Amino acid sequence: MMTQHTSKEFDEDLKSLSEMIAEMGGLAEQLVGESISALLSRDLAAAQRIIERDRVIDSLQHAVEEKAVLTIAKRQPMAVDLREVVAALRVSNDLERIGDLAKNIAKRVVALEGQLQPPKLAGGVDHMGELVLGQLKEVLDAYSRRDATRALQVWKRDGEIDAIYTSLFRELLTYMMEDPRNIGFCTHLLFCAKNIERIGDHATNIAETIHYLAVGEPLIDERPKGDLTSTTTISFGED
Amino acid sequence: MMTQHTSKEFDEDLKSLSEMIAEMGGLAEQLVGESISALLSRDLAAAQRIIERDRVIDSLQHAVEEKAVLTIAKRQPMAVDLREVVAALRVSNDLERIGDLAKNIAKRVVALEGQLQPPKLAGGVDHMGELVLGQLKEVLDAYSRRDATRALQVWKRDGEIDAIYTSLFRELLTYMMEDPRNIGFCTHLLFCAKNIERIGDHATNIAETIHYLAVGEPLIDERPKGDLTSTTTISFGED
């Protein structure tokens, strides 16, 4: 039943996984960019197309899972080779969730149809969207080059997005308090802003995966989270 | 390098995976129940404890991933055996996300400290919370018994939670419009309700995993989603 794998066969499996991840990543970037554009321009038709296209990411995620599991079973990789396959699984999970969040923004464009739009509200969302899209592009590039240094830069920048989200949250609440007619629109915008912030979190997760891939230890240990951080340490793949 | 695995060794690996999932499931149930209680009673100390305890679920998820990957590499399971291991990976992913959502509810309890609480607002959240907790218990029980029929019942009931969420969403917007002083509190409550609804979605995902485990085909194909459903079909584990 078992066949000794050659390095060539394993490399081909990895290449195929990388190609699927690259396809997912490109699609995730598109859906995020287009969902934010659709929100800002209130483009219902574009939103509907995004909702449909998210299924392609879901299919790709299942395909990556299937390929990764079969690769582990057939090739029995160890150490850094095993980490490559596990990293593909993790990154595809994050990209699938990014697709879901973009789809949710698109659904809110549909829900907002006909609602009053207060002026000047879109600025903060636009800025957050640009930053998050930049982080996503950067981290996908870092993944394709296995560049842990660039990944670390993405990881460190996530705080900026959180800060903009917090200030946008407050600004939206102020608009709601000023005029109750803004409440419906602002509530959906709040959820969209939260979705964008969470897309940033997934870019950060991908950065952590790249670090794990390069270094073999979870980056999460270095997060300044207080004295309980040490309990989350899990060694992996080397033992 | 490779050793022929015995059925006994593989069974022990599966048992160990099941135990970890059971521990994660029990903890996820606790965190969900306690986060909703902490929200309803505005219990800051309980909320802080929940935020700390979520890390245990995160650690367990990494441990399940590690164990599952090593099991696949060492035992090279096929067909239904492989599905068992993949299912453990998927379920642990969903449970980790449920823990995150409970933690987010707990964080909002902290954020709400000192905010005015309008009366009679908690009823809808309480009811949603009970339903979701029931779904979670039921689906974890279905998983431990590999009971696809009960899983299907959980899957079908998710619509009820979505309906309560939608009516709660409208109710909260109404309170906000009636009195701007309610906006801060209601906004956080909206996000909590959304988190509870998403916990329900993850219970539904687990139900789909149980179905896949028992039947070998994704349940998602049967979802009434229109004519594009067929494009999401991914055969898995049998080929």
Side-chain angles (χ1 to χ4, degrees):
Chain A
M1 288 285 286
M2 295 188 293
T3 53
Q4 188 71 38
H5 82 269
T6 66
S7 157
K8 188 163 168 282
E9 281 166 333
F10 179 71
D11 287 348
E12 272 166 18
D13 285 342
L14 277 194
K15 189 163 167 275
S16 155
L17 277 171
S18 286
E19 283 165 2
M20 282 192 272
I21 299 277
E23 189 182 348
M24 281 186 88
L27 197 51
E29 271 186 54
Q30 278 175 31
L31 293 186
V32 171
E34 288 172 20
S35 67
I36 295 168
S37 297
L39 176 66
L40 298 177
S41 61
R42 311 285 297 268
D43 186 339
L44 209 65
Q48 300 280 17
R49 284 194 301 272
I50 291 158
I51 293 167
E52 291 305 323
R53 276 164 67 210
D54 175 55
R55 292 173 197 193
V56 182
I57 293 198
D58 292 349
S59 295
L60 279 165
Q61 196 236 334
H62 279 261
V64 168
E65 188 187 67
E66 178 171 13
K67 181 77 187 170
V69 165
L70 291 178
T71 301
I72 295 168
K74 276 195 222 156
R75 316 289 180 216
Q76 300 183 294
M78 301 295 283
V80 69
D81 287 344
L82 184 56
R83 288 209 301 275
E84 277 285 349
V85 184
V86 171
L89 268 176
R90 290 188 187 168
V91 171
S92 75
N93 249 333
D94 282 303
L95 291 173
E96 187 266 331
R97 287 160 79 175
I98 288 172
D100 276 350
L101 291 162
K103 182 175 76 173
N104 189 270
I105 293 172
K107 280 185 175 175
R108 290 180 191 278
V109 176
V110 178
L112 283 171
E113 168 73 351
Q115 288 236 27
L116 183 79
Q117 172 162 13
K120 287 189 200 169
L121 256 181
V125 171
D126 196 14
H127 182 44
M128 251 187 102
E130 274 173 24
L131 273 181
V132 166
L133 214 50
Q135 289 276 84
L136 186 56
K137 276 183 210 296
E138 192 68 15
V139 85
L140 288 169
D141 206 37
Y143 179 71
S144 74
R145 294 160 195 262
R146 305 293 185 268
D147 185 339
T149 310
R150 278 173 78 178
L152 191 65
Q153 285 161 358
V154 170
W155 190 75
K156 285 180 177 164
R157 264 198 307 268
D158 190 53
E160 283 176 45
I161 292 166
D162 293 346
I164 296 171
Y165 170 68
T166 303
S167 96
L168 190 60
F169 184 89
R170 291 196 183 129
E171 192 185 344
L172 285 166
L173 288 198
T174 308
Y175 280 110
M176 288 156 92
M177 289 178 197
E178 275 172 12
D179 186 345
R181 287 172 301 177
N182 291 337
I183 288 174
F185 185 84
C186 287
T187 300
H188 279 297
L189 218 54
L190 266 178
F191 276 104
C192 289
K194 181 70 193 168
N195 286 346
I196 296 170
E197 186 259 343
R198 287 176 57 216
I199 291 168
D201 287 344
H202 289 296
T204 309
N205 288 352
I206 295 172
E208 289 181 356
T209 299
I210 297 166
H211 177 93
Y212 150 84
L213 191 51
V215 180
E217 288 291 324
L219 181 58
I220 202 161
D221 291 0
E222 293 165 25
R223 256 187 197 175
K225 266 190 173 183
D227 59 0
L228 276 166
T229 309
S230 57
T231 64
T232 64
T233 307
I234 300 284
S235 68
F236 185 75
E238 299 288 12
D239 53 4
Chain B
M1 290 284 286
M2 294 189 294
T3 53
Q4 189 71 40
H5 81 270
T6 65
S7 158
K8 187 164 167 282
E9 282 166 331
F10 179 69
D11 287 348
E12 273 165 18
D13 286 341
L14 277 193
K15 189 163 166 276
S16 155
L17 277 171
S18 286
E19 283 165 2
M20 283 191 273
I21 298 278
E23 191 183 346
M24 281 185 87
L27 197 51
E29 271 185 53
Q30 279 176 30
L31 294 185
V32 171
E34 288 171 20
S35 67
I36 295 168
S37 297
L39 175 67
L40 297 177
S41 62
R42 311 286 298 267
D43 186 339
L44 208 65
Q48 299 279 18
R49 284 194 300 272
I50 291 158
I51 293 167
E52 293 303 324
R53 276 165 67 210
D54 175 55
R55 292 172 196 195
V56 182
I57 294 197
D58 293 349
S59 294
L60 281 165
Q61 196 236 335
H62 279 260
V64 168
E65 188 187 66
E66 178 171 14
K67 181 77 188 171
V69 166
L70 291 177
T71 301
I72 295 168
K74 276 196 222 155
R75 317 288 179 216
Q76 300 184 294
M78 301 294 283
V80 69
D81 287 342
L82 184 56
R83 287 208 303 274
E84 277 285 349
V85 185
V86 171
L89 268 176
R90 289 188 187 168
V91 171
S92 74
N93 249 332
D94 281 303
L95 291 174
E96 187 266 330
R97 288 160 78 174
I98 288 172
D100 277 350
L101 291 163
K103 182 174 73 172
N104 189 268
I105 293 171
K107 282 185 175 175
R108 289 180 193 279
V109 176
V110 179
L112 282 170
E113 170 71 352
Q115 287 235 28
L116 183 79
Q117 170 163 15
K120 287 190 200 169
L121 254 181
V125 171
D126 196 16
H127 182 43
M128 251 186 103
E130 274 173 25
L131 272 180
V132 165
L133 213 52
Q135 290 276 84
L136 185 56
K137 277 184 210 296
E138 192 69 15
V139 86
L140 288 170
D141 206 39
Y143 179 69
S144 72
R145 294 161 194 263
R146 304 293 185 268
D147 186 337
T149 309
R150 278 173 77 178
L152 191 65
Q153 285 161 0
V154 170
W155 191 76
K156 285 180 177 164
R157 263 198 308 269
D158 188 55
E160 282 176 45
I161 292 166
D162 292 346
I164 296 171
Y165 170 67
T166 304
S167 97
L168 190 59
F169 184 89
R170 290 193 184 131
E171 194 184 343
L172 285 166
L173 287 199
T174 308
Y175 280 109
M176 289 156 92
M177 289 178 197
E178 275 173 12
D179 186 344
R181 287 173 302 175
N182 292 338
I183 288 175
F185 185 84
C186 288
T187 300
H188 280 296
L189 218 53
L190 265 177
F191 276 104
C192 290
K194 181 69 192 168
N195 286 347
I196 298 170
E197 187 258 344
R198 287 176 57 216
I199 291 168
D201 287 344
H202 289 294
T204 309
N205 288 351
I206 295 173
E208 289 181 356
T209 298
I210 298 166
H211 178 92
Y212 149 83
L213 191 52
V215 181
E217 289 290 324
L219 181 59
I220 201 161
D221 291 359
E222 292 165 26
R223 259 188 195 175
K225 268 191 174 183
D227 58 0
L228 277 166
T229 309
S230 57
T231 63
T232 64
T233 306
I234 300 283
S235 68
F236 185 75
E238 299 287 12
D239 54 4

